[in-house]
Amino acid sequence: MKIIRYRMCLEQPLLATQLMGDPNSSVSFAFIPGSLVRGMLVHRYYQGRQGLTESAVAHDPLSRRLFFNGETRYLHAYPLLDGDQRSLPTPRALQRRKQDPGATVYNAAHEEFDRNEAEGADTLKPVSEPFCLLDEADLTLVEPQPGRLTVHVARVPKKGRAVEDGGAVFQYDALAAGQWFGGVVLADHDEDATTIRDLLVGPAWLGRSRSAGYGRVQIELVQAEPADNWREVGGDCPALSANEPITLTLLSDTILRDGRGNYALTLDVPILQAYLGSAIKALDPARSFSATVLTGGFNSTGQTPLAQVYALAAGSTITFTPAAALDDAAIRTLEQRGIGERRAEGFGRIAFGWLSADELTAAEGSPYSVRQRMVTLTPTSQVMAQQMARRLLDLRVEGEIARFVRDYVAPVARDMPANSQLGRVRVLLRRAVREDVPLATVRAALDGFQAAGRQQFERARINGTPLWDWLEGLLADPPTHDVWEELGLSRHKWPQVAKEQAAPAPAFTRAVTLKLIEATLTGASRERKRTEDAR
């Protein structure tokens, strides 16, 4: 067996559509499915062989071994981290505190995990970053770059434009250009690895809407090597000891069937025993965390969609106790082959014993950026690029503030303080903007509120936090609540123009803080008035 590791740079936005969103829109996965890479290679393969047509590929014995029967598996390409490291889906058993996340992440699947001790006065929530890199107790979290949202207008072919009775407005949420992804191909036959390697490297087109400026990528070969001791999660493969619990983590969505041939929504004892070839003593539901996802696809040869079925979602963690021991060689073989259906397309990837520590220290990962595809900007161009990025960020801030008010303020408007109390704070905010007074001065003025007024702010809640504490946290010096985290706009998510970002000036953060508080209080006041008028 051989593995082929490669990295891929998106030279254009890429649209790998998933089953979600409005019917008039398309939303891309946050990764590149293995089915896209496989489909591109199938096309190159039959084009380079005289007499082999697209419809005959599925019946050719060598083609079936290369692409269809699971002897060659095209794993998903996940975001690439600095240092040429391929990230993986974050296990759903990893949790952190909701109000005070910090750097500590708890493994809820660990036998020594104590929820009451971990929560303290807070509550735990699953880690929100979808990808990670895990090395024992060190956790690197990866947040993909924001997608490129583009609005398109469908044209009537005869007229070459949209008309009143024909044409529609739709939008694409695609993977942004400039990102790097790391993928792997597993080939059971060494000679197949050579064929795939020759087909893989170079420029390629993936995904939908290629004629509209989407889908151009550049693929670079990293390494082709024997896969005897290779693990997708790295490290040594564990042996399964009898009567000792161990975790199984799904590294991709997994399509399973039960003994009757029906699609399964859980990984139960009979299914797991069938793949292990050994008895299972018990599953531990309290230390297992799973979710389901709707999967589908499209057969380009037959021009028909694939059946939509439910699968276990990537990151699902199952804790079980084997009744008999299994050596590391058997476990490694099962990890390399995977479980479930559509394994040739990257489904069904698993890892045993990946989660070993009860507490982990989390850090933010840096995206891979070994190659710069641009010339150095002149000082004037650099300033201009930063100004353009600042304007784009201003638009993002306005949109995120509107979303914050819609999601966290409007639903609880009736529990907010009286409009007179909200108005007092708004007066302080306007004075801070007009006279450029420090935020600490505004907070000091809040401390002068009478007990009755203050109690109204303490009873109200913003995303689970008392409104009084939320205001004081934003207005503190230094702030205990980061306004950029409140808006979901940490610095690595800021828009870039020619690799330049807006400067993180304190004055800019101050202005955004005041704008967010003003919008929150104004939104609460208006929503209450609208509700009262409707009565």
Side-chain angles (χ1 to χ4, degrees), residues 257-259 267-278 280 283:
R257 291 183 188 261
D258 59 21
L267 182 57
D268 57 19
V269 170
I271 296 176
L272 187 54
Q273 286 182 154
Y275 283 109
L276 285 175
S278 178
I280 299 297
L283 294 180

Side-chain angles (χ1 to χ4, degrees), residues 404 408-409 412 416 460-467 470 486 520:
F404 185 91
Y408 299 123
V409 179
V412 297
M416 285 290 178
R461 291 289 188 275
I462 291 290
N463 195 18
T465 303
L467 179 58
W470 185 76
E486 292 286 336
T520 298

Side-chain angles (χ1 to χ4, degrees), residues 92-95 105-115 118 124 247 284-289 317 319 355 357-360:
R92 295 178 180 270
L94 298 184
Q95 301 183 7
V105 172
Y106 301 94
N107 175 15
H110 198 275
E111 57 184 351
E112 297 181 2
F113 172 73
D114 186 336
R115 181 170 294 275
L124 294 181
T247 59
D284 189 348
R287 293 166 53 202
S288 298
F289 303 85
T317 305
T319 302
L355 297 175
D358 58 340
E359 292 186 11
L360 304 96

Side-chain angles (χ1 to χ4, degrees), residues 16-17 54 145 159 161 214 296 384 393 486 493 495 504 532:
T17 307
E54 182 178 7
Q145 294 184 23
K159 293 185 176 293
R161 58 181 173 82
Y214 293 84
M384 184 179 298
L393 180 58
E486 292 286 336
K493 294 183 181 179
E532 292 174 352

Side-chain angles (χ1 to χ4, degrees), residues 354-411:
W354 190 30
L355 297 175
S356 57
D358 58 340
E359 292 186 11
L360 304 96
T361 302
E364 184 178 300
S366 301
Y368 183 79
S369 57
V370 68
R371 178 171 55 187
Q372 299 293 334
R373 294 181 172 271
M374 55 177 291
V375 297
T376 304
L377 297 179
T378 64
T380 302
S381 298
Q382 190 175 20
V383 171
M384 184 179 298
Q386 290 176 352
Q387 290 175 344
M388 295 171 67
R390 169 64 181 274
R391 290 168 186 165
L392 291 175
L393 180 58
D394 287 340
L395 292 175
R396 287 285 303 278
V397 167
E398 294 292 340
E400 292 300 328
I401 288 178
R403 178 197 58 79
F404 185 91
V405 173
R406 181 196 66 208
D407 294 346
Y408 299 123
V409 179

